[in-house]
């Protein structure tokens, strides 16, 4: 997302209280402001003060560019007036109703109204292998969000967000999925990984968007704050692997 966004000066991380996503964001020299919204001050204080955590996150929580906000993400977005070039949603899986609402179409609408032109929203989206339906439900929910750049068009001409699904193998998690969305076209061919990375390269990055048949796209319902279908899909998926 950082490599694909048209700009990368003002960044928002929702969740991410450990400072590890922030560590990666701050590798980009053009970043001027980084806002981290995490509801739990105990987590952000731990990441900011603990010696071992500071070593792991490269002191990202104490960087002069970093602003920490301990608040509910939904409440923050309802009152926030600024625009962000990249919004990174680093939250736990949608395993309960409180978390499910943060994977809903309404929440994603809130995000889009804080996204600058050509910006990217990206969320971790659980595992396309272990929770196949839940993963693609998150994708389909993003794809059902109206593009605010074209809000004045008639209903018959409604345009929606551009969405891309991708995945990677994470040793401690297995196959893990992500979804990114933008209010403009996402040109994957333009992505170049120019910052130091332990395993991601420009070539590997493009392969992350290719899904084998057993975890490929499927149609699902859209997750809303009324239905919470992503929670149901999530529970059904993981149940197969935990019994």
């Amino acid at each position: 997302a950082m490599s694909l966004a048209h700009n990368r000066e003002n960044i928002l991380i929702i969740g991410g209280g450990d400072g590890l996503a922030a560590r990666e964001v701050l590798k980009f020299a053009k970043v001027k402001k980084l806002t981290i919204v995490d509801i739990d001050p105990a987590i952000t204080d731990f990441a900011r003060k603990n010696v071992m955590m500071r070593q792991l996150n490269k002191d990202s929580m104490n960087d002069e560019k970093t602003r920490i906000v301990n608040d509910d993400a939904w409440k923050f977005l309802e009152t926030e007036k600024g625009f962000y070039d990249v919004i990174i949603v680093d939250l736990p899986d949608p395993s309960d109703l409180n978390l499910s609402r943060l994977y809903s179409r309404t929440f994603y609408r809130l995000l889009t109204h804080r996204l600058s032109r050509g910006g990217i929203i990206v969320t971790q989206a659980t595992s396309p292998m272990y929770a196949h339906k839940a993963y693609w439900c998150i994708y389909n929910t993003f794809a059902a969000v109206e593009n605010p750049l074209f809000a004045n068009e008639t209903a018959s001409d409604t345009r929606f967000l551009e969405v891309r699904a991708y995945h990677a193998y994470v040793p401690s998690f297995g196959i893990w999925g992500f979804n990114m969305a933008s209010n403009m076209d996402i040109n994957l061919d333009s992505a170049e990984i120019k910052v130091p990375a332990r395993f991601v390269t420009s070539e590997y990055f493009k392969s992350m968007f290719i899904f084998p048949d057993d975890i490929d796209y499927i149609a699902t319902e859209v997750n809303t704050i009324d239905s919470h279908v992503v929670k149901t899909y999530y529970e059904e998926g993981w149940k197969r692997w935990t019994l």
Side-chain angles (χ1 to χ4, degrees), residues 11-23 25 34-41 43-45 47 53 57 60-61 66-77 86-93 99 102-103 107 111 122-124:
I11 313 300
L12 172 64
I13 297 176
I14 293 174
D18 52 24
L20 299 177
R23 177 193 68 195
V25 164
L34 169 60
T35 301
I36 300 173
V37 179
D38 193 294
I39 197 170
D40 192 347
I43 295 296
T44 54
D45 286 348
M53 285 303 299
N57 63 35
S60 62
M61 302 295 276
T66 301
R67 174 173 70 114
I68 299 171
V69 179
N70 294 123
D71 197 1
D72 177 82
W74 196 297
K75 292 180 180 178
F76 172 83
L77 290 168
V86 178
I87 301 175
I88 298 169
V89 185
D90 184 14
L91 293 170
D93 285 354
L99 288 166
L102 301 180
Y103 291 82
F107 184 70
L111 292 178
V122 62
T123 183
Q124 83 85 10

Side-chain angles (χ1 to χ4, degrees), residues 22-175:
R23 177 193 68 195
E24 300 303 304
V25 164
L26 291 170
K27 290 179 179 180
F28 291 80
K30 290 186 177 181
V31 173
K32 294 181 178 179
K33 296 179 181 179
L34 169 60
T35 301
I36 300 173
V37 179
D38 193 294
I39 197 170
D40 192 347
I43 295 296
T44 54
D45 286 348
F46 180 65
R48 190 167 55 85
K49 297 175 181 178
N50 179 271
V51 173
M52 289 184 289
M53 285 303 299
R54 291 177 67 182
Q55 290 175 346
L56 285 172
N57 63 35
K58 304 297 182 185
D59 225 14
S60 62
M61 302 295 276
N62 295 303
D63 192 281
E64 61 182 9
K65 299 177 182 178
T66 301
R67 174 173 70 114
I68 299 171
V69 179
N70 294 123
D71 197 1
D72 177 82
W74 196 297
K75 292 180 180 178
F76 172 83
L77 290 168
E78 286 182 327
T79 58
E80 174 66 0
K81 303 300 181 185
F83 290 89
Y84 297 90
D85 301 315
V86 178
I87 301 175
I88 298 169
V89 185
D90 184 14
L91 293 170
D93 285 354
S95 57
D96 60 40
L97 295 181
N98 283 328
L99 288 166
S100 171
R101 71 190 181 100
L102 301 180
Y103 291 82
S104 68
R105 181 166 55 187
T106 303
F107 184 70
Y108 291 160
R109 282 176 178 149
L110 287 174
L111 292 178
T112 63
H113 286 284
R114 301 275 57 87
L115 188 67
S116 61
R117 180 181 289 269
I120 299 278
I121 302 167
V122 62
T123 183
Q124 83 85 10
T126 194
S127 170
M129 173 174 283
Y130 302 123
H132 191 203
K133 282 187 178 180
Y135 174 78
W136 288 109
C137 175
I138 296 168
Y139 173 92
N140 291 326
T141 301
F142 256 134
V145 176
E146 303 84 357
N147 190 329
L149 296 186
F150 303 95
N152 295 325
E153 295 189 355
T154 62
S156 60
D157 295 325
T158 299
R159 300 196 199 183
F160 298 90
L161 297 180
E162 183 86 2
V163 188
R164 293 288 184 271
Y166 64 109
H167 64 99
Y169 178 77
V170 181
S172 56
F173 283 73
I175 294 176

